[in-house]
Amino acid sequence: MSEKKIMLTFDGLKKLETELQVLKTERRKEVAEKIKDARGQGDLSENAEYDSAKEEQAEIEARIAVLEKMLRNAEVIDEEELSEGYVNVGNRVVVLDREFNEQVEYSIVGSAEADPLKGKISNESPLGAALLGRVAGDVVTVDAPDGSIEYEIVSIS
């Protein structure tokens, strides 16, 4: 069974590669040093510093495994090849929330880069999925817990 492709912008790819590099080089060494120091304190059975360092080491190794898997399955979006006029991953989209008559700008990104508080929504989110393939002027309806919300696409860049 093939792995699910992770869609990334070039910037998103670089951020993940940088995080992986820092974890493998700097963070691994820091935690190894903490473990070494904690071992030097004697009895490991009641050594909270040792337990904490080992837990931190496990978290780092788990994150490294996740990042490596994501990077193996990454599909980088070439922003130069985006269809003109159609919403796609990598586009910035201004939408009008018809209920509140408010314009909001979003970047459509892969799920690995999504950060709604920074205006980056996943292509797999309800709004992101509804916007994909649409053009300026289209109205999309998104089901939300409080009911349906209509958005009009104002512009795509």
Side-chain angles (χ1 to χ4, degrees):
M1 183 171 142
S2 67
E3 296 283 336
K4 177 182 167 193
K5 287 289 181 191
I6 305 292
M7 298 183 86
L8 294 170
T9 62
F10 185 73
D11 288 343
L13 176 70
K14 288 296 165 207
K15 285 179 185 173
L16 291 179
E17 288 174 339
T18 300
E19 180 184 355
L20 181 61
Q21 187 65 25
V22 167
L23 287 173
K24 283 183 161 185
T25 57
E26 298 171 23
R27 297 289 293 136
R28 269 184 175 164
K29 286 179 185 174
E30 290 171 9
V31 173
E33 194 62 37
K34 286 181 185 178
I35 291 171
K36 180 181 169 189
D37 292 344
R39 272 195 183 128
Q41 295 175 10
D43 185 11
L44 298 181
S45 65
E46 295 182 15
N47 189 329
E49 287 179 32
Y50 178 78
D51 292 340
S52 175
K54 289 298 280 183
E55 195 172 299
E56 188 177 355
Q57 182 183 44
E59 289 170 2
I60 288 170
E61 294 304 320
R63 182 64 181 160
I64 287 171
V66 166
L67 290 171
E68 287 176 336
K69 182 177 179 181
M70 288 171 69
L71 291 170
R72 256 193 324 271
N73 297 306
E75 183 175 313
V76 180
I77 304 305
D78 185 352
E79 294 176 28
E80 302 288 320
E81 294 181 11
L82 293 178
S83 301
E84 289 289 319
Y86 291 91
V87 177
N88 206 330
V89 175
N91 284 131
R92 293 193 69 69
V93 181
V94 177
V95 295
L96 174 68
D97 179 330
R98 290 180 135 187
E99 181 179 353
F100 295 105
N101 199 31
E102 263 181 1
Q103 285 192 6
V104 186
E105 184 173 344
Y106 294 110
S107 292
I108 310 295
V109 296
S111 59
E113 292 179 78
D115 188 347
L117 296 177
K118 292 183 179 177
K120 295 179 176 184
I121 60 170
S122 166
N123 61 316
E124 298 174 9
S125 70
L127 178 56
L131 293 171
L132 289 178
R134 301 302 191 110
V135 298
D138 282 358
V139 175
V140 298
T141 303
V142 178
D143 290 327
D146 291 340
S148 296
I149 303 170
E150 286 190 343
Y151 296 94
E152 180 179 344
I153 300 173
V154 177
S155 66
I156 304 166
S157 58

